[in-house]
Amino acid sequence: MRFTSEQRLDNGVLEREFTLGEIPGILWTPASAPTPLILLGHPPLGLRKMYPRLVDRARHSAAEGFATATIELPGSGDRPRLPAAEQARADLRRAMEAGEPVSDEIVDALLLPLVDKAVPEWQAALDALLSLPEIGGPVGYSGGVISIGVRLAVVEPRIVAAGFFAGSFVPRATFEEARQVTIPLHVLLQWDDEGNDRQAALDLFDAFGSKEKSLNANMGGHTGVPQSAADAAVQFFTRHLK
């Protein structure tokens, strides 16, 4: 891990950009140290586009004493494109514009290669982050892509709690992996999310094997998450990471 820039935000949070090999990322740390860490998941739209939402989540978490970090997903931002995923994305657009159902084959082609590449990168980032003196653990995962979060919850024992955003398509294999998830879960669902298959999100929640799992469902579209839902997510992590 190599830090490439740093700035102090107006609320005292230290923001540092880094690279991990060829992977860009951002780390936000509050003044108190060492602190628990929350990994901020996000859709594959690029860190630059997602930055305003990510830094808002980081500030909110820092106010409660959490460090947060994120990395650029494979095929996003300035990273090399993934040809198979680009083709699947084009097939997805065509199906949606034609009003046709999105097939399992398209969803699998779009997301499974991304999950296979992204999860080891998240684990490598976690190795580097936990070596820093200001990061003390334990670790949580917050956000999407939900299929990435599910895989991490299964294979990464250092993640002890997860808050998932139910706002993306779900591959068939993710439902099977969900049965192996046992850590505490907090799932956020926007009921009228125009890009979300609500029934698939409910079926996935039902599939999770965790004894402690909660579903926070709110009216509104993808970007209409109320502040109360964000507050509930932070309270969830406060219970399980502190």
Side-chain angles (χ1 to χ4, degrees), residues 72-95:
E72 188 76 87
L73 291 176
S76 298
D78 295 327
R79 299 189 64 186
R81 301 276 79 85
L82 302 176
E86 293 292 304
Q87 180 60 54
R89 194 170 289 114
D91 293 341
L92 173 66
R93 281 196 298 268
R94 279 195 293 269

Side-chain angles (χ1 to χ4, degrees), residues 5-227:
S5 70
E6 70 174 56
Q7 65 171 329
R8 187 73 64 174
L9 304 183
D10 54 12
N11 56 353
V13 176
L14 180 62
E15 177 185 281
R16 286 175 286 177
E17 295 186 4
F18 64 84
T19 57
L20 186 68
E22 300 300 317
I23 306 168
I26 310 174
L27 170 65
W28 294 272
T29 49
S32 57
T35 62
L37 173 67
I38 300 174
L39 304 177
L40 298 183
H42 55 90
L45 302 176
L47 285 182
R48 292 176 185 173
K49 183 172 183 178
M50 292 300 302
Y51 177 80
R53 289 159 63 180
L54 288 165
V55 74
D56 184 63
R57 290 164 62 191
R59 282 188 167 113
H60 198 177
S61 298
E64 302 299 324
F66 296 113
T68 50
T70 194
I71 58 173
E72 188 76 87
L73 291 176
S76 298
D78 295 327
R79 299 189 64 186
R81 301 276 79 85
L82 302 176
E86 293 292 304
Q87 180 60 54
R89 194 170 289 114
D91 293 341
L92 173 66
R93 281 196 298 268
R94 279 195 293 269
M96 296 184 73
E97 288 170 359
E100 300 172 353
V102 178
S103 69
D104 289 338
E105 289 72 22
I106 291 176
V107 173
D108 288 354
L110 179 67
L111 288 168
L112 290 182
L114 176 64
V115 173
D116 290 342
K117 289 181 68 67
V119 166
E121 292 181 354
W122 270 116
Q123 290 181 293
L126 189 53
D127 290 340
L129 291 163
L130 289 177
S131 72
L132 300 173
E134 59 269 38
I135 306 297
V139 182
Y141 178 89
S142 173
V145 175
I146 197 168
S147 51
I148 292 175
V150 170
R151 175 75 61 81
L152 275 169
V154 172
V155 304
E156 181 47 73
R158 293 172 292 184
I159 295 176
V160 301
F164 292 145
F165 294 177
S168 57
F169 292 100
V170 183
R172 292 166 291 189
T174 301
F175 286 91
E176 293 305 314
E177 291 181 331
R179 303 183 199 285
Q180 304 173 51
V181 175
T182 58
I183 61 175
L185 296 179
H186 179 88
V187 181
L188 173 63
L189 172 63
Q190 287 299 104
W191 202 251
D192 305 304
D193 190 336
E194 59 280 2
N196 181 57
D197 184 334
R198 183 196 303 163
Q199 190 58 54
L202 295 173
D203 291 343
L204 183 63
F205 179 80
D206 189 52
F208 285 125
S210 302
K211 291 182 179 179
E212 180 186 337
K213 57 181 180 179
S214 59
L215 179 67
N216 188 323
N218 299 276
M219 304 303 291
H222 189 75
T223 59
V225 180
Q227 185 60 49

